[in-house]
């Protein structure tokens, strides 16, 4: 079987066109965000919308719940779609909903989305108080059922405590190292060492605010950053989590940033004069450009085996280890 | 492997004691009701409660979603628990929730519970107008995902239309023939012929209001009724759906009958002077008595193979055929 190509974070405005682009780009699996601020009941509607897409486009996409779903997708020429939340809002205040969501196919959940949550502290808060009482219980329950803890939008202390408290490796699905581009959402060397040192995975983001030189970031620069990260953290803990936000109206980034919690405009990583989604770098505009990444990594000096690992085989191994119940 | 013993409808007030009685009685699988009048959100809490029991009593019970779950339960000495609704209230007005519920393990859903629903007419209404517009769509969707249509509490016309409209065999999980005991909830010969003639299953009820002579019904009388039903409908379409309502406070039968739809007291199959749950016949008080049924059927003249079929193998075959998606 060919090596798996997996992008472990996308938030595309999905359409038949976008699904066909996945196939053209040879993407075997994606992890898609299906909630930012939704309540339990609202997030169910997002699952239901995906169920309809699986029914409508059975030749292009298929529900993903385990590593074997990726293998089956490769065999049948389709893309396996895994669900995740960027916020724990869909579990509300009920630890029992963690298993219910796992039953509904959720495989990644961030403990926070920028702000303080019931579980931990987001990376935009002034003070990070680490995992809450509910947060520690939720991590245990996520470990038990096989729902991966994702700390992409969390503060450093919360992230370190999640790594420490979790009995299974966790993930930062979409961020880059601060030593390459010092953005609030990128991660410190200390956090990345703790993450990867415990078997956790880092997915490299191609969202312009996470890139050195933003939209003008070059493929070379991006791939050299990955080469340096491989030296520091080991190639086996690295993958792609592009954070591709394709074809979304700017009203969506406003929802992502402001939800229902703010009456003022919060610009997040943007600013008043750059309020919308920033343009993608020209070497990664949509899923058809996925082969550019493999080519760039090869050109940087990675072996084919290492490129395969970063482009998907590492995530596939992580899926195999992470999505089943702890026994 | 030993033949499967399956009771395809129970509504016990579950406890460790009740779970242990299942093991003592050699019951390999049960279909339990987890909603009568609940909204989507309320029924999720009932799933969550069962999830907790699966976690607390892993040596006694296990989640059931397919026929193979019954086989695995037999191998490991546990009881597989399948979920069902006696009312379509948990899908509210949203056809997308049918697949969501299937994902959460629901395998049977009644189109009505005594009253008119959004899908069909219940057996207590004066006029039965058959499947509604939404009802026909819901039957198609239930066929697609593998959620069995159960017409135990529906009117005759609605039941006949569901049998006709459904592309897959349906079930009457808990009722007896009217020719044996002429109760409103028992089923006409015409309905039972149509049900079984299309490969559907009838589960015999031991709820006293469905029994000839009620609580005083004898095991002989019950088994002779099954023998007559086997002659009329074929032994392969018959099983047990005891409707065992053990250890429930009478407030529960009031909820079952009245939900939130009535400000007056509706006594259902009971009456003002017999408002609560009626006492079980002495030969079927709880799950420890399940072997009495096998013995009674053998004594009535069924072969061991026929007894095995009625006691569970027929339901197991039906599970194998019914719970997967239509392809």
């Amino acid at each position: 079987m060919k090596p798996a190509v997996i992008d472990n974070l996308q938030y595309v405005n999905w359409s038949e066109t976008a699904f066909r682009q996945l196939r053209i780009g040879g993407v075997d699996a994606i992890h898609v965000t299906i909630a930012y601020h939704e309540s339990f009941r609202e997030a169910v509607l997002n699952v239901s919308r995906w169920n309809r897409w699986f029914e409508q486009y059975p030749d292009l996409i298929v529900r993903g719940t385990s590593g074997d779903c990726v293998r089956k997708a490769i065999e049948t020429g389709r893309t396996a779609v895994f669900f995740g939340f960027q916020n724990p809002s869909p579990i509300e205040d009920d630890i029992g909903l963690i298993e219910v969501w796992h039953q509904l196919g959720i495989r990644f959940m961030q403990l926070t989305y920028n702000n303080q949550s019931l579980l931990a502290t987001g990376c935009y808060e002034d003070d990070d108080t680490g995992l809450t009482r509910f947060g520690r219980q939720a991590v245990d329950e996520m470990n038990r059922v096989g729902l991966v803890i994702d700390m992409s939008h969390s503060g450093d202390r919360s992230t370190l405590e999640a790594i420490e408290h979790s009995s299974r490796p966790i993930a930062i699905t979409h961020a880059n190292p601060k030593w390459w581009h010092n953005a609030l959402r990128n991660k410190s060397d200390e956090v990345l060492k703790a993450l990867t040192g415990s078997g956790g995975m880092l997915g490299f983001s191609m969202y312009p605010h996470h890139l050195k030189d933003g939209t003008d970031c070059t493929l070379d620069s991006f791939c050299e950053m990955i080469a340096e990260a491989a030296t520091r953290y080991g190639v086996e803990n690295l993958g792609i989590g592009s954070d591709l936000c394709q074809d979304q109206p700017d009203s969506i980034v406003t929802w992502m940033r402001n939800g229902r919690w703010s009456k003022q405009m919060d610009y997040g990583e943007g600013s008043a004069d750059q309020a919308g989604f920033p343009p993608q770098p020209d070497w990664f505009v949509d899923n058809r450009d996925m082969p550019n990444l493999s080519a760039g990594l090869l050109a940087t000096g990675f072996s084919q085996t290492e490129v395969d690992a970063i482009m998907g085989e590492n995530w596939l191994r992580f899926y195999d280890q992470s999505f089943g119940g702890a026994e």
Side-chain angles (χ1 to χ4, degrees), chain A:
Chain A
M1 194 165 61
K2 83 172 194 71
V5 173
I6 300 179
D7 187 347
N8 205 58
L9 203 292
Q10 296 204 344
Y11 186 62
V12 171
N13 188 4
W14 295 104
S15 62
E16 182 174 344
T17 301
F19 294 139
R20 291 197 181 281
Q21 290 172 348
L22 285 167
R23 301 314 312 138
I24 295 167
V27 183
D28 303 305
I30 49 175
H31 158 219
V32 299
T33 294
I34 69 162
Y36 285 99
H37 302 284
E38 283 85 343
S39 69
F40 176 81
R41 190 65 180 81
E42 291 167 336
V44 166
L45 296 177
N46 298 342
V47 169
S48 195
R49 188 168 56 163
W50 271 102
N51 285 346
R52 190 84 181 96
W53 282 329
F54 292 135
E55 189 184 350
Q56 289 176 304
Y57 305 109
D59 298 335
L60 301 174
I61 55 171
V62 61
R63 186 195 308 283
T65 56
S66 70
D68 284 343
C69 295
V70 181
R71 297 182 182 91
K72 194 171 171 190
I74 292 173
E75 281 168 19
T76 58
R78 297 182 289 177
T79 302
V81 181
F82 294 79
F83 297 156
F85 298 146
Q86 291 206 31
N87 199 343
S89 59
I91 71 165
E92 299 178 354
D93 63 354
D94 183 350
I95 198 167
L97 293 181
I98 291 172
E99 183 167 8
V100 167
W101 279 121
H102 191 269
Q103 291 179 266
L104 288 172
I106 306 304
R107 291 296 178 269
F108 291 89
M109 183 172 82
Q110 289 184 186
L111 301 194
T112 71
Y113 185 73
N114 300 341
N115 289 5
Q116 178 70 41
S117 75
L118 297 184
L119 307 181
T121 306
C123 60
Y124 280 35
E125 297 286 359
D126 295 331
D127 296 304
D128 181 350
T129 51
L131 294 184
T132 64
R133 285 153 48 89
F134 182 18
R136 288 189 291 273
Q137 300 264 343
V139 167
D140 292 341
E141 180 71 354
M142 292 168 77
N143 286 162
R144 185 181 73 82
V145 303
L147 208 171
V148 176
I149 293 132
D150 181 356
M151 298 303 275
S152 297
H153 284 252
S154 299
D156 278 8
R157 177 177 164 190
S158 289
T159 305
L160 293 168
E161 289 189 13
I163 292 164
E164 175 68 26
H165 190 77
S166 178
S167 62
R168 304 174 76 166
I170 77 162
I172 291 176
T173 60
H174 58 304
N176 295 323
K178 268 200 162 78
W179 48 253
W180 180 59
H181 177 55
N182 189 21
L184 184 57
R185 269 275 284 105
N186 284 338
K187 301 301 175 187
S188 70
D189 193 54
E190 181 192 8
V191 160
L192 295 177
K193 281 206 172 99
L195 172 77
T196 54
S198 58
M201 281 285 294
L202 171 65
F204 293 108
S205 166
M206 286 168 276
Y207 188 64
H209 292 313
H210 306 158
L211 298 175
K212 188 176 175 177
D213 306 319
T215 299
D216 298 328
C217 179
T218 64
L219 178 58
D220 274 359
S221 173
F222 184 72
C223 291
E224 279 162 21
M225 174 273 288
I226 295 179
E228 171 65 19
T231 305
R232 293 185 188 217
Y233 313 123
V235 74
E236 67 275 17
N237 300 304
L238 308 179
I240 303 300
S242 71
D243 206 4
L244 180 66
C245 295
Q246 178 193 340
D247 298 337
Q248 297 283 14
D250 286 343
S251 58
I252 289 292
V253 78
T254 302
W255 159 250
M256 288 160 65
R257 290 169 178 163
N258 294 274
R260 287 175 286 237
W261 64 273
S262 174
K263 293 171 75 173
Q264 299 159 28
M265 180 63 100
D266 185 277
Y267 293 108
E269 298 173 280
S271 55
D273 59 345
Q274 199 186 11
F277 281 108
Q280 284 292 122
D282 58 10
W283 45 271
F284 193 74
V285 173
D286 62 43
N287 278 295
R288 289 172 298 182
D289 293 328
M290 200 60 78
N292 291 344
L293 270 188
S294 318
L297 291 170
L298 267 178
T300 304
F302 283 110
S303 70
Q304 185 64 53
T305 304
E306 289 170 327
V307 172
D308 293 343
I310 294 167
M311 290 300 295
E313 288 289 310
N314 286 339
W315 278 123
L316 183 54
R317 182 198 66 235
F318 187 80
Y319 287 11
D320 283 333
Q321 294 166 347
S322 301
F323 295 161
E327 297 280 4

